[in-house]
Amino acid sequence: MTRHTVVVGGGVAGLAAALRLSGAGHRVTVVEQSARLGGRISTRPDGVDTGAEQFLMRDPAGGPSGAKRLVDELGLGDRLVHPAIAGAGLWLDGRLRPLPGGTVMGVPGPQAALDGIAALDDHDADRGVPVLPAGEDRSVGALVRERLGGEVVTHLVDPLLGGVYAGSADGLSLAATVPALHRLLGTEHTLRGAVALTAAASRAHQPGSPVFGTLRGGLGGLIDAAAAELARRGVDVLTGVPVRMLARHGDGWTLSVGAAAPDAPDSVRARQLDCDAVVLAVPARPASRLLRDVSPDAAALVGVLDYASVGLVTLELAGVELPALTGFLVPADQGLTIKAATFFSTKWAHHARPDGRVLLRASVGRYGEQAVLQRPDAELVRAVLADLGTVLGTTLPAPAAAEVTRWGGGLPQYAPGHVDRVGQARTLLADLPLALAGAAFDGVGIPACVASAEQAADRILEG
């Protein structure tokens, strides 16, 4: 008898889990609350991404990343493109400087050139013991500040971590955000020595190969191809359908799904789904809510995770000359609204504009800073233009096109202990045909989400 698995969540993690399960012969139903699939992957009709815009090509062990495996599985290899070979910049003290090399998520190794960026308060001498006791997790900011000083955190680590998580290094777990470095700190006696080894291992796994990739036409093509393949396999994909309750029913599950309103259309009407297994590929709060009656302790562990919101302002500008960089980062103490900008038309050849216009995207919003995201679109565009003009040293013209995209609660804030909390939650759920997948649990970025989904699916298949 064919086993039936319901995947709750239609982001890239949910779709990847559904692909793996359906490929193994499971009957699969995907249920997504929003009206569309893809989660934080969103692409405009002209192929410009307004959410995630790239992915790592290789995993930490040197093999193809989860994203690359998914691209290959869906036959999208001919659309794969890589960024221009140009460095990023750092806006600091009124100057746009090259972002120094020799760092791991901004944590400098012995060869990193910090002149003009950060005064090194070096307390990183070999103390005869590993930097971290086995199993200990700390915030990235606390450890780097203790060993190398506050300026390194403010001017390097915070901007790099903020670009990925929109959070502060002082609130982000080392084990969750830089796991390779965290593992080495359990054996190495200096932080900078561990950084050097981490960077060397990364280079060894990727000799001469591109680090990042994306799809010509936008990453929405990955979602479209996954949905088409699931349809070909007969997978039911329900969008605009919330999951209101999850309950154990015999050896399986009953999910209450759909809108409870009496006038709801038939496509989203309230009903029940019975299944043998469940994959929860949703953010932490809805996952915690659904787990409340299944395992209150697991629900509490999952529900601790907080999120940051971010805004993206995409602009087309005429008559503007950009520096020879793929973009730049802005430390929080520099007095600008923007925290980063990506020069799309420089970074990606397929986004070059034949009419000489430039395409760029600026990011605004850090964890705990909600006011900036509450500004009207036009005001936010003006603030971004003013900041970009400051960095580029010119008054920018009115944009030929401008778009503001807000991702409310889009980026998880992995506080110290996150990895252990997720491990404890999974242990509490180990005897149940239920698996957790996605950014709420195993890391941000498409590769991490796909790898998490594959592991969740394998757990169901082995159960």
Side-chain angles (χ1 to χ4, degrees):
M1 189 172 178
T2 302
R3 286 174 60 80
H4 180 204
T5 299
V6 171
V7 177
V8 183
V12 70
L15 298 179
L19 285 167
R20 199 165 183 101
L21 289 162
S22 59
H26 273 225
R27 176 187 162 213
V28 179
T29 301
V30 178
V31 186
E32 165 57 41
Q33 176 171 307
S34 71
R36 67 173 191 88
L37 300 173
R40 301 297 180 251
I41 295 176
S42 176
T43 303
R44 302 190 323 197
D46 63 356
V48 175
D49 287 306
T50 55
E53 53 113 354
Q54 65 181 12
F55 52 81
L56 284 165
M57 290 290 293
R58 306 196 74 78
D59 66 20
S65 72
K68 178 61 165 58
R69 291 195 300 272
L70 190 57
V71 165
D72 291 341
E73 177 184 349
L74 295 172
L76 299 174
D78 60 339
R79 292 172 57 180
L80 186 62
V81 292
H82 306 291
I85 303 174
L90 183 71
W91 175 254
L92 188 62
D93 297 334
R95 286 178 52 196
L96 197 55
R97 309 161 186 266
L99 193 65
T103 74
V104 172
M105 199 58 82
V107 184
Q111 305 304 316
L114 303 182
D115 290 348
I117 293 174
L120 194 63
D121 184 10
D122 199 343
H123 299 291
D124 194 35
D126 187 341
R127 304 172 189 179
V129 294
V131 174
L132 290 179
E136 181 178 314
D137 187 17
R138 295 185 63 186
S139 79
V140 183
L143 180 62
V144 176
R145 184 174 285 105
E146 174 190 294
R147 291 270 171 163
L148 303 177
E151 275 198 343
V152 174
V153 176
T154 302
H155 290 166
L156 268 180
V157 182
D158 255 348
L160 266 295
L161 281 173
V164 178
Y165 299 96
S168 165
D170 288 318
L172 291 169
S173 153
L174 182 67
T177 60
V178 204
L181 178 60
H182 177 258
R183 286 190 294 272
L184 278 171
L185 290 174
T187 57
E188 294 302 308
H189 291 191
T190 67
L191 173 58
R192 300 188 85 185
V195 169
L197 289 174
T198 304
S202 177
R203 288 192 300 271
H205 291 321
Q206 303 180 37
S209 60
V211 177
F212 293 103
T214 195
L215 295 181
R216 187 181 293 105
L219 289 175
L222 187 66
I223 302 303
D224 293 343
E229 177 60 20
L230 291 174
R232 189 188 70 78
R233 296 180 186 179
V235 171
D236 291 326
V237 178
L238 311 177
T239 56
V241 177
V243 178
R244 295 182 288 110
M245 189 178 70
L246 172 66
R248 196 80 168 109
H249 182 74
D251 292 332
W253 303 96
T254 296
L255 295 87
S256 298
V257 307
D263 58 347
D266 288 347
S267 60
V268 298
R269 71 185 187 282
R271 57 195 184 277
Q272 291 188 335
L273 283 178
D274 293 325
C275 63
D276 302 295
V278 170
V279 174
L280 293 182
V282 291
R285 287 168 188 162
S288 177
R289 175 178 57 80
L290 292 173
L291 289 171
R292 201 170 296 145
D293 294 333
V294 175
S295 171
D297 290 340
L301 289 163
V302 168
V304 166
L305 184 64
D306 203 359
Y307 284 77
S309 299
V310 67
L312 302 174
V313 180
T314 305
L315 302 170
E316 283 197 42
L317 301 171
V320 174
E321 185 174 347
L322 297 177
L325 298 167
T326 57
F328 62 89
L329 300 170
V330 182
D333 66 349
Q334 297 304 296
L336 299 187
T337 298
I338 61 175
K339 63 189 181 79
T342 302
F343 302 151
F344 270 28
S345 51
T346 302
K347 182 176 181 178
W348 304 106
H350 63 287
H351 282 314
R353 284 354 197 198
D355 56 7
R357 293 181 181 181
V358 298
L359 177 69
L360 56 85
R361 188 173 81 179
S363 175
V364 300
R366 294 179 173 90
Y367 178 65
E369 297 179 2
Q370 301 302 320
V372 65
L373 297 177
Q374 294 167 359
R375 299 184 191 181
D377 284 6
E379 183 180 330
L380 202 53
V381 169
R382 286 195 296 272
V384 167
L385 282 171
D387 282 358
L388 290 170
T390 296
V391 173
L392 299 176
T394 185
T395 300
L396 296 181
E403 181 177 5
V404 177
T405 308
R406 290 175 169 83
W407 293 106
L411 293 170
Q413 302 297 291
Y414 303 129
H418 171 79
V419 174
D420 285 343
R421 284 188 292 274
V422 171
Q424 292 168 27
R426 283 178 165 143
T427 297
L428 290 167
L429 301 169
D431 293 333
L432 300 173
L434 182 147
L436 307 174
F441 310 104
D442 299 311
V444 300
I446 298 171
C449 288
V450 173
S452 176
E454 292 171 346
Q455 292 165 10
D458 288 345
R459 170 160 151 48
I460 298 300
L461 294 172
E462 293 163 3

